[in-house]
Amino acid sequence: MPALQPQSLITTLEQYEALPEDVRAEVFDGQIYYMASPSEIHQTLSTELTTILNTYIKSKKRSCKVFHAPFDVKLDDNPLTIVQPDLMIICDKSKLDGKRCNGAPDFIIEIVSPGNPSDDYIRKAYYYKNAGVREYWIVDPRRKTVTVNYFESNLISIQYPFDSIIKVNIYDDLLINFSEIADLLNI
């Protein structure tokens, strides 16, 4: 996916909602950034992780919900900041209005695209932490790493290789075995 390129200013939610439905875009401080479609590896990782998270939440009869891109998350009204995380868990259902999540999800996973790694490692980490996201993972298939940011405990940037079993810190007993996922991708 090529690097996100800033375009025109989108200062209101109404301007954002007026974009064509097939346009993938995020807004940071009123500046719109258009996104390309994800790759096959990106989609495979997203599908596997969504399945793991959803299966866990259903098996434990948790009230949280799993969402995957494209699904809008409005982090701020002024200046307008709207993102579309690759995966997220939202436990406070009052944040959901039928169109988007208004406020920080509890858990977010971003899958790094080759053309814009700094977007996930720097920009989104900054916005997610400041918005109140409890835990943020950066899955990087090129580097074969998973970076875990557990903002709730100020635990920042612990990096694991893809052959790791990694605990989702917002839950007591959810572990994700990345070696099984990497095997599916032949990476």
Side-chain angles (χ1 to χ4, degrees):
M1 204 184 295
L4 297 177
Q5 297 298 314
Q7 303 296 321
S8 60
L9 288 176
I10 300 282
T11 57
T12 67
L13 185 57
E14 292 75 24
Q15 289 172 313
Y16 177 78
E17 290 177 336
L19 292 171
E21 200 169 303
D22 62 340
V23 169
R24 293 193 65 227
E26 294 181 312
V27 180
F28 294 93
D29 294 331
Q31 184 73 52
I32 190 166
Y33 294 82
Y34 294 100
M35 301 182 298
S37 296
S39 69
E40 179 182 346
I41 287 176
H42 188 285
Q43 286 297 84
T44 302
L45 278 165
S46 179
T47 299
E48 291 301 316
L49 290 166
T50 299
T51 301
I52 291 166
L53 295 173
N54 208 36
T55 301
Y56 171 83
I57 287 172
K58 283 182 173 182
S59 74
K60 298 294 183 174
K61 298 182 178 19
R62 305 262 183 187
S63 62
C64 303
K65 293 181 89 172
V66 178
F67 293 91
H68 57 83
F71 187 74
D72 289 342
V73 174
K74 184 175 63 158
L75 296 176
D76 204 344
D77 284 309
N78 191 15
L80 186 63
T81 301
I82 297 176
V83 293
Q84 291 184 353
D86 291 317
L87 292 154
M88 69 200 95
I89 296 174
I90 301 166
C91 297
D92 181 353
K93 291 185 181 173
S94 71
K95 293 180 179 181
L96 299 169
D97 67 7
K99 290 182 180 180
R100 70 185 58 84
C101 174
N102 296 288
D106 295 271
F107 178 79
I108 290 177
I109 295 177
E110 292 285 5
I111 301 165
V112 176
S113 298
N116 65 339
S118 65
D119 190 54
D120 295 319
Y121 283 102
I122 299 168
R123 182 194 339 237
K124 288 186 178 179
Y126 169 81
Y127 281 92
Y128 292 161
K129 182 176 197 254
N130 289 330
V133 172
R134 295 169 58 197
E135 186 167 354
Y136 170 45
W137 288 18
I138 304 166
V139 177
D140 193 331
R142 288 182 71 192
R143 294 171 66 194
K144 298 178 186 162
T145 61
V146 179
T147 303
V148 173
N149 298 282
Y150 188 36
F151 297 137
E152 195 168 59
S153 291
N154 289 321
L155 181 68
I156 307 241
S157 295
I158 295 180
Q159 197 168 82
Y160 298 90
F162 258 28
D163 62 355
S164 300
I165 297 173
I166 305 171
K167 182 182 184 307
V168 176
N169 293 291
I170 66 167
Y171 295 116
D172 292 331
D173 58 349
L174 175 54
L175 302 170
I176 297 179
N177 186 342
F178 268 85
S179 63
E180 290 175 358
I181 296 170
D183 287 346
L184 290 173
L185 298 170
N186 295 319
I187 58 174

